[in-house]
Amino acid sequence: DARVTQTPRHKVTEMGQEVTMRCQPILGHNTVFWYRQTMMQGLELLAYFRNRAPLDDSGMPKDRFSAEMPDATLATLKIQPSEPRDSAVYFCASQEANYGYTFGSGTRLTVV
Amino acid sequence: SQKIEQNSEALNIQEGKTATLTCNYTNYSPAYLQWYRQDPGRGPVFLLLIRENEKEKRKERLKVTFDTTLKQSLFHITASQPADSATYLCALIRSYNTDKLIFGTGTRLQVFP
């Protein structure tokens, strides 16, 4: 089965450091999403792209977060500088039109 | 803003019984609603999608209903098995003009032998 690949699976970093998370969506899926999951808030949409163009990043703290899709095979989410409250699991998902999302396994981020 | 409510308490049922999970939403009716399964340490896995003009959808042992009057979706697993134990997430999309999927917080299902 085709899958969404995320790297790294786990990341522990110190407060103030830059964090970059990567995602390889399924080939042919033209919509890519970044979600954050915490126990308190559940799954929150941070940003999404269609055909590599950013469509909505209203869920993302703009001062420290940035999301890009340099090509159809790579989406990135950066946090700079990172803070302890950013600790969460970050999921990437891609979608075939009018169907369900396919999620990656996530990046578990811990900021100490 | 749209709010999605799922029972935060775990649902414990015996193997072989039918599990029924509830998803209630407020405000506007969504264009369509989806159900996902999530296992610990994994990403959500898509199960079923139901559109606003559909009342029921089935897939093997799974059944989803959608009542736009009650603003509620029910998710049923018949002949439940211990392997069905997981967290089940309800999610909705507001309109056909957007791809933004809003998730509920999920309900944990535990099926015991």
Side-chain angles (χ1 to χ4, degrees), chain B residues 19-110:
Chain B
T20 298
L21 287 75
T22 303
C23 173
N24 295 298
Y25 57 90
T26 59
N27 299 337
Y28 49 82
S29 278
Y32 52 94
L33 192 146
Q34 302 182 13
W35 284 87
Y36 288 76
R37 168 186 174 139
Q38 187 172 23
D39 292 283
R42 310 294 295 271
V45 174
F46 171 71
L47 297 175
L48 279 168
L49 177 156
I50 187 165
R51 291 184 168 78
E52 60 180 338
N53 60 349
E54 297 174 319
K55 292 219 180 305
E56 183 178 298
K57 208 71 162 297
R58 290 175 187 261
K59 179 182 174 184
E60 299 172 353
R61 294 185 296 111
L62 309 180
K63 184 177 86 171
V64 171
T65 63
F66 194 5
D67 189 326
T68 55
T69 302
L70 291 178
K71 295 189 176 181
Q72 181 180 79
S73 174
L74 298 179
F75 178 79
H76 307 271
I77 305 175
T78 58
S80 59
Q81 305 165 0
D84 295 326
S85 300
T87 296
Y88 290 86
L89 301 160
C90 167
L92 58 84
I93 287 186
R94 178 175 183 171
S95 75
Y96 294 107
N97 296 324
T98 179
D99 296 308
K100 287 175 68 168
L101 197 58
I102 302 168
F103 281 85
T105 51
T107 298
R108 171 107 180 105
L109 172 66
Q110 186 74 38

Side-chain angles (χ1 to χ4, degrees), chain A residues 35 37 48 50 56 91 101, chain B residues 36 38 41 43 99-101:
Chain A
Y35 279 85
Q37 188 173 39
Y48 80 101
R50 185 183 296 146
D56 191 325
F91 287 105
Y101 291 15
Chain B
Y36 288 76
Q38 187 172 23
D99 296 308
K100 287 175 68 168
L101 197 58

Side-chain angles (χ1 to χ4, degrees), chain A residues 4-24:
Chain A
V4 174
T5 303
Q6 289 188 248
T7 56
R9 287 296 313 273
H10 302 274
K11 175 74 176 177
V12 179
T13 191
E14 291 186 346
M15 183 172 64
Q17 296 298 304
E18 177 177 304
V19 175
T20 298
M21 291 169 269
R22 293 178 173 80
C23 167
Q24 181 177 354

